[in-house]
Amino acid sequence: MADLTRRSVLKTLGATVVAGATAGAVVDPAGAAAGAVADPAVAGAAPRPDLTRPTSDPALDARLARLLRRMTVDEKLGQLQQSLGNSADAAAAARAGLLGGVLGLDAAAAINALQRVAVEESRLGIPLLFGFDVIHGFLTTFPIPLAQAASFDPEVAATDAAVAAREAGSAGLRWTFAPMIDVSHEPRWGRVAEGYGEDPYLASAFAVAKTRGYQGGDYSAPDRLAACAKHYVAYGGVEGGRDYNTVDVSEQRLRNLYLPPFRAAVRAGAATLMAAFNTINGVPAHGNRHTLTDVLRGEWGFDGFVVSDYTGVAELITHGAAADGADAARLALTAGVDMEMVSTEFVTHGKRLLAEGRLSMRRLDDAVLRILRVKARAGLFDRPYVDESREITAPAPADRAAARRIAARCMVLLKNTGALLPLSTGVGSIAVVGPLGDNAPDLAGTWAAKGARLFPPVTILEGIRATAPAARVTYAAGCAVTGTDESGIPAAVAAARAADVTVVAVGESADLTGEGGSRSDIGLPGVQATLVSAIAATGRPFVVVLVNGRPLTLAGVDAAAPAILEAWHPGVEGGNAVADVLFGAVNPGGRLPASFPRDVGQVPIYYNHENTGRPADPNNRDTSKYLDLPDGPLYPFGYGLSYTTFAISDLAVRPARIAVARLRAGAQVEVGVRVRNTGPRAGDEVVQLYLRHRAASVVQPVRRLRGFRRVTLDPGQQIAITFRLAADDVGFYGNSGTGELLVEPGVIDIFVGGSSTADLTQSLVLT
Ligand code: NOJ
């Protein structure tokens, strides 16, 4: 960062230096009286973590403290405000020094124009931080995050993030509202499309990869973005899968299921976090001091800032947690929200709260300092403007190639009776039917950004035509994604009858997924299931290609279709990638990152469940199951087929017995297996390692993922794989609320295989 005392660069450089001052000692003349007021949420309570304890960069903080000392209370509160960039008053607020961040602008000229107002026309010239929802691509649209999780290859997320950061950075953006790392057991919740599935270990691996992909080693680089891990926390637990709904969660589940990806993202250096819309045990996440301060700052030492979600601070009133706007601002700020998105309670009421002693100057300074710290780390004090002549305006061919490779890598082969797939490119005729067969916009997925508008995805029809140019390819939609109109089905049936093979592309439009996209019925919407049945009734060979953003209930499709490929919302190269897999240029190797229920009535159904005292037994009525359904999901977590086959063998646990104390001191247990491609073609296996504690002070899931490796093997090729288990892997959290990792003596069964139903097992004894 530039020396903030150098006049030549920015107006911020005029600061008077008070040697030795620290952030905690900063006093604003206008608010000096409030500077000593104890935070009401802290006063009288048990000792709380010190919010202003030294950070990892005291030299930076000392420089920022000089700037902070020059700021009026209004200017400090202004830093806490994030507004829509295209709103009429954004420029006026920037000029008055009453704006800290902006969302919604996505072009270099517009961003520079507003930045110029902040830097050149405001009193202190503090640059704005421009953020945007760059979630699965900016110009180059990658598959949705849930699809990326199916790759079981975190490099996929790292590549998406790096490409997106380069593109978005060239447009002047410095901050993305991603990664979204809400673990969820709720397929009815539309936002499962944005996250990495039902498992905290898998989600943590993707959280780290995506954070690093956006930020690199230093997010001041023009081709990097500051990350924002969201939504903090437990949003994936919304009751009934209804978006924004209540979450009531035990401390142990909070810590074992929802918090791990956030801890991983913070450890990976995530610059910011976003608070979640839900309540957590009766306290909204935006006003939750336990999660925002005790855990995030106290336990994890997070020194970035927390932004509210869109109007999330004002919504504290609607929740019934705050009496009015001032109360909402007090609650959110004292709990640990630093920046307010869109609603304006902080700027409107902050001064009054200080005057009334309901907010301490110390906490306000802390919030401002955190925001300035991220701005400094984003390089904004050195380079507030972006070079408009270097704005990237179209996906680079190499990035489109990466999007194609990745989309195919995310696909999951769910069924392939009689090796119907891969198809031969020499096939004479192909009918493409279904409402998603020649549909571009929906392939882009829920958070498609600018790129989806400007560069619509390749459709499945186009991909098939390009891949099998000699084949006669016809298309008939048959029906729409939603609605009851079946009048197009006969034409689709006729097309199927006239073709050697039919590809039925069905699923969800993008708007049935994502934020506000909750569904009570997670089957194929509209009359698409009728279309599938009608095609099946022809007796001709067909493949179902699913284009969707959540686990679906597919029992009918599974019964009717000989082959099913899960393609998700695959992004800009979606149609080409589907064709790559259908015709075997790519052997599918993705695995499900979430269980696919048989019926929505089973939800929540997830692999990492507790055993209960009466686990399901089909021959015993009084066990944990439904009378009207077989036990378990239709397709389990970690499941996926290949055009080849694999054998996993020789499981060895070394040592098979180890003292807890040794693990705590850093020792590791090695788990080795051999994997062999036993089939006719090269392909990918995802070797997965699961643990099961036979007995623990807090009942542990029947299985929990603690290792995975995606490998590519030629026919007959065999390799050895070694996983390493540390204290972190065999430990878990209890209900104490202290964050202490419990590592208990006892027997742990280790399972390794190609899905969560792996049965190759050995035990490990902890003494
Ligand atoms: C609301 C969403 O919950 C959040 O994920 C998103 O980043 C913001 N809106 C900004 O668009």
Side-chain angles (χ1 to χ4, degrees), residues 103 133 177 191 230-231 274 277 309-310 341 447 515:
L103 78 159
D133 287 291
F177 307 128
R191 303 203 80 168
K230 70 185 189 185
H231 305 85
M274 185 186 293
F277 281 131
D309 203 343
Y310 208 100
M341 186 190 286
W447 269 118
E515 187 175 354

Side-chain angles (χ1 to χ4, degrees), residues 612-623:
T612 81
R614 295 184 178 190
D617 173 354
N619 301 315
N620 184 348
R621 175 193 170 90
D622 295 329
T623 58

Side-chain angles (χ1 to χ4, degrees), residues 71-119:
M71 297 171 73
T72 64
V73 168
D74 285 329
E75 285 165 340
K76 289 181 182 180
L77 290 167
Q79 284 304 304
L80 314 191
Q81 180 64 44
Q82 186 195 39
S83 298
L84 292 163
N86 51 10
S87 67
D89 44 7
R95 190 171 294 116
L98 299 179
L99 191 59
V102 169
L103 78 159
L105 295 183
D106 63 2
I111 287 175
N112 271 348
L114 189 53
Q115 187 72 295
R116 234 169 254 124
V117 175
V119 171

Side-chain angles (χ1 to χ4, degrees), residues 674-753:
R674 288 192 174 281
V675 197
R676 197 156 78 89
N677 182 342
T678 51
R681 28 167 98 226
D684 289 8
E685 173 65 302
V686 178
V687 185
Q688 304 161 44
L689 179 151
Y690 296 87
L691 301 185
R692 176 179 186 161
H693 296 244
R694 290 201 193 155
S697 62
V698 174
V699 161
Q700 290 299 291
V702 292
R703 299 224 169 160
R704 57 190 183 104
L705 184 72
R706 288 313 298 188
F708 60 88
R709 193 98 29 97
R710 180 167 175 162
V711 293
T712 305
L713 297 178
D714 287 328
Q717 191 185 353
Q718 170 170 291
I719 58 164
I721 290 184
T722 304
F723 296 100
R724 289 192 173 76
L725 298 175
D728 229 23
D729 296 299
V730 295
F732 52 86
Y733 296 95
N735 279 308
S736 70
T738 62
E740 183 202 355
L741 183 76
L742 303 174
V743 185
E744 297 179 348
V747 181
I748 296 175
D749 294 316
I750 297 174
F751 299 87
V752 180

Side-chain angles (χ1 to χ4, degrees), residues 311 313-322:
T311 64
V313 174
E315 287 171 29
L316 288 169
I317 307 168
T318 326
H319 270 296

Side-chain angles (χ1 to χ4, degrees), residues 387-754:
D387 180 350
E388 290 173 36
S389 71
R390 304 188 67 165
E391 183 170 11
I392 300 171
T393 53
D399 297 333
R400 282 196 79 126
R404 179 171 180 165
R405 183 178 53 77
I406 281 173
R409 199 163 173 76
C410 296
M411 291 181 194
V412 185
L413 184 63
L414 297 175
K415 190 174 176 191
N416 194 19
T417 308
L420 176 58
L421 292 175
L423 304 174
S424 158
T425 47
V427 64
S429 58
I430 305 167
V432 177
V433 308
L436 291 153
D438 193 25
N439 172 317
D442 289 315
L443 266 60
T446 180
W447 269 118
K450 199 173 176 177
R453 251 185 356 261
L454 301 174
F455 309 97
V458 175
T459 71
I460 292 172
L461 179 65
E462 289 165 346
I464 288 175
R465 285 200 165 128
T467 305
R472 190 172 60 84
V473 183
T474 59
Y475 174 68
C479 61
V481 171
T482 54
T484 54
D485 184 1
E486 299 183 6
S487 61
I489 292 181
V493 167
R497 283 195 202 287
D500 293 332
V501 65
T502 298
V503 174
V504 185
V506 287
E508 297 176 293
S509 48
D511 67 350
L512 289 177
T513 74
E515 187 175 354
S518 298
R519 296 177 60 211
S520 66
D521 175 352
I522 55 171
L524 288 175
V527 294
Q528 294 180 94
T530 310
L531 173 67
V532 173
S533 303
I535 301 299
T538 65
R540 309 281 304 151
F542 74 102
V543 180
V544 170
V545 175
L546 296 167
V547 174
N548 52 299
R550 56 155 58 77
L552 297 171
T553 48
L554 295 166
V557 176
D558 182 76
I564 307 174
L565 177 69
E566 174 55 87
W568 314 103
H569 287 140
V572 65
E573 286 287 334
N576 285 331
V578 165
D580 288 341
V581 173
L582 289 180
F583 293 96
V586 173
N587 188 347
R591 300 289 188 265
L592 294 180
S595 309
F596 275 42
R598 296 172 195 277
D599 187 281
V600 71
Q602 292 178 300
V603 172
I605 179 166
Y606 45 93
Y607 90 94
N608 43 359
H609 61 84
E610 295 173 9
N611 200 36
T612 81
R614 295 184 178 190
D617 173 354
N619 301 315
N620 184 348
R621 175 193 170 90
D622 295 329
T623 58
S624 185
K625 61 178 167 43
Y626 296 100
L627 293 176
D628 52 355
L629 281 176
D631 183 44
L634 181 65
Y635 305 124
F637 176 87
Y639 168 80
L641 303 173
S642 167
Y643 298 152
T644 186
T645 50
F646 297 92
I648 299 178
S649 63
D650 300 293
L651 174 59
V653 179
R654 293 176 294 260
R657 221 180 155 80
I658 188 167
V660 166
R662 283 195 58 210
L663 280 172
R664 285 210 179 267
Q668 298 190 341
V669 174
E670 284 188 0
V671 180
V673 286
R674 288 192 174 281
V675 197
R676 197 156 78 89
N677 182 342
T678 51
R681 28 167 98 226
D684 289 8
E685 173 65 302
V686 178
V687 185
Q688 304 161 44
L689 179 151
Y690 296 87
L691 301 185
R692 176 179 186 161
H693 296 244
R694 290 201 193 155
S697 62
V698 174
V699 161
Q700 290 299 291
V702 292
R703 299 224 169 160
R704 57 190 183 104
L705 184 72
R706 288 313 298 188
F708 60 88
R709 193 98 29 97
R710 180 167 175 162
V711 293
T712 305
L713 297 178
D714 287 328
Q717 191 185 353
Q718 170 170 291
I719 58 164
I721 290 184
T722 304
F723 296 100
R724 289 192 173 76
L725 298 175
D728 229 23
D729 296 299
V730 295
F732 52 86
Y733 296 95
N735 279 308
S736 70
T738 62
E740 183 202 355
L741 183 76
L742 303 174
V743 185
E744 297 179 348
V747 181
I748 296 175
D749 294 316
I750 297 174
F751 299 87
V752 180

